[in-house]
Amino acid sequence: MRLVNPGAGEITDRLSVLSLKILFGGAADKDCAHFKTERTTLLSQIRSRTLNGVWFECALELAAVNAAIWHGEDDLRTYRQTGPSADQTYKSNLEVVVSLAFRLQELNDQRAALRQKINELSGEALGEEKV
């Protein structure tokens, strides 16, 4: 039921992703009005909850993790589009891709743990979503 009634963790996570979309979309001269509208709606939802300083620390950490995921995904896409440089071998190519993939998995695990922690802090924990 998270889509119908998102917890503070999901809202906080989405707010940090929207911030990235607005920042990078604006820098690329893309229309970000729909992201800003969603952000305004979610900000009103998060303001209605009683949250504390620990939540704020988690929110900042979540924003940093999402930024790292964002950049890691960009690195992987760029690598896929351009391929290895002339001095790289197939083996080093594979090592880079595997390293990036494992790093993204670690970051996504961190992201899920932070969302869960925020939900617990706000009394909205429903348990693990991944099975």
Side-chain angles (χ1 to χ4, degrees), residues 14-24 39:
R14 184 64 183 161
L15 283 168
S16 72
V17 170
L18 287 169
S19 294
L20 290 166
K21 289 178 179 277
I22 292 166
L23 176 70
F24 287 101
R39 180 181 62 184

Side-chain angles (χ1 to χ4, degrees), residues 51-106:
L51 301 169
N52 58 30
V54 177
W55 164 80
F56 188 67
E57 290 174 23
C58 291
L60 293 175
E61 189 175 346
L62 186 57
V65 168
N66 278 329
I69 290 170
W70 184 282
H71 287 292
E73 291 280 349
D74 281 351
D75 290 346
L76 203 51
R77 279 187 192 87
T78 299
Y79 200 80
R80 184 178 62 201
Q81 291 169 355
T82 62
S85 62
D87 62 338
Q88 288 181 312
T89 65
Y90 175 76
K91 184 178 179 184
S92 66
N93 177 24
L94 185 59
E95 288 170 0
V96 170
V97 171
V98 168
S99 177
L100 279 169
F102 286 162
R103 178 66 179 139
L104 286 170
Q105 281 183 325
E106 291 170 6

Side-chain angles (χ1 to χ4, degrees), residues 109-130:
D109 289 346
Q110 238 182 309
R111 178 182 181 208
L114 285 164
R115 287 170 54 163
Q116 181 65 21
K117 184 175 181 179
I118 291 169
N119 285 334
E120 289 169 4
L121 288 168
S122 66
E124 300 172 330
L126 296 178
E128 294 272 337
E129 283 194 47
K130 289 189 176 183

